[in-house]
Amino acid sequence: MTLPAELLDIATRIAREAGELAHRRRTEGVTVAATKSAAADIVTAADREVEAFIRAELARERPDDGFFGEESGAEEGTSGITWVVDPIDGTVNYAYGIPAWAVSIAAVEGSADTATWTALAGAVFNPVTGELFRASRGGGAWLGEQRLAVSANVGEAGGLVATGFGYNPATHGPALDQLARVMPIARDVRRIGAASLDLASVAAGRVDAYYERGTQPWDHAAGALLVEEAGGIVGGAPGGRPGNGMVIAAGPEFYGRLEEKLDVIG
Ligand code: IPD
C-alpha cells in the first residue's frame, strides 16, 4: 500500500469514529464551552472532546507524526507528516441542529504551513447524512464507490457558488463587496456553513465553486485535496496558494472567471 493510501485508511477510520462520537454528544445536548475570535465564534464541549479523541487515536497509530488541530494547537513530529484536524467544522450548525457539519482530517507532508505543505490524504465525514468524502494524492476523490469529479461547462446561467463570511466583523464589509462582484457570474449563492463541506460539494459537482476569506488551515486542508483529486483547482488570494487570506476552489473552466472577480479586493 502507498503512503497516501495508508494515511487515508487511518483518516477515514478515525473521522468515522470521531463523527459518531460528536453525533452522540449532539443528542445529549450542546454545551458552549467558550468563544474564540468573536462572540459568534463558539467552541462546544464536543469540539474539545472529539479533538482529544482524534489526537489520541492518531498518536496511537502514528506516534512520530505532528498534529495541528483547531482546538488544541500544533505539535511538531519527527516523521515529516502532520495531521491537520477540525473536530467539528460547522460548529454553529452543530449547535443549532442544522445537519451540515463534519469532521475534517488531513495528513500533510511538511510542517503545518499551508504555504509549503502537500496534502497526501483527507477525509471529511458528515455523520448526520452518513457521507464520508475521501481522497488520497494520486488516488482520486471518492464518496463511497463513486469517483468524484468537479462540474464542467458552467454555461451562461453562471455558477452555483458557495461562500462563507467568517466570524471577524472587520471582514464582513469587504466580503459583501466581493459577493456583489461575484453575483453577476453566479446562478445563485449558497452559504452551507462548513468549509470542509463546501469544498466536498465542489469536488462532488454539487456546487460549481467555493470561495471564502479568512478560513484557517484545518477548515480547508482535507477539502482542498478532495477538489484537486476531483480535477478542480484550489488557490488562495489571486495567484497564490490557499491560506488564511483566501481559498478559491472550482473546476478549471470556472476558476479563472471567479478569480478575476475576486482579484480587486484580496
Ligand atoms: C467555520 C466554518 C464556516 C466558515 C468559517 C469557519 P468552524 O469553521 O467552516 O463555514 O465560514 O470560516 O471558521 O469554526 O465551525 O470549525
Side-chain angles (χ1 to χ4, degrees), residues 101-130:
W101 54 272
V103 177
S104 175
I105 301 180
V108 305
E109 196 159 36
S111 67
D113 176 359
T114 44
T116 54
W117 80 34
T118 303
L120 297 183
V124 173
F125 179 47
N126 176 346
V128 187
T129 60

Side-chain angles (χ1 to χ4, degrees), residues 97-185:
I98 296 171
W101 54 272
V103 177
S104 175
I105 301 180
V108 305
E109 196 159 36
S111 67
D113 176 359
T114 44
T116 54
W117 80 34
T118 303
L120 297 183
V124 173
F125 179 47
N126 176 346
V128 187
T129 60
E131 289 186 319
L132 199 158
F133 300 88
R134 64 190 197 281
S136 59
R137 186 154 298 277
W142 298 82
L143 174 59
E145 295 307 304
Q146 183 199 347
R147 188 164 186 158
L148 301 179
V150 297
S151 64
N153 306 321
V154 165
E156 257 181 48
L160 185 59
V161 178
T163 189
F165 304 106
Y167 300 118
N168 179 356
T171 66
H172 292 162
L176 291 175
D177 290 345
Q178 269 183 335
L179 186 59
R181 289 175 52 77
V182 168
M183 287 301 281
I185 60 161

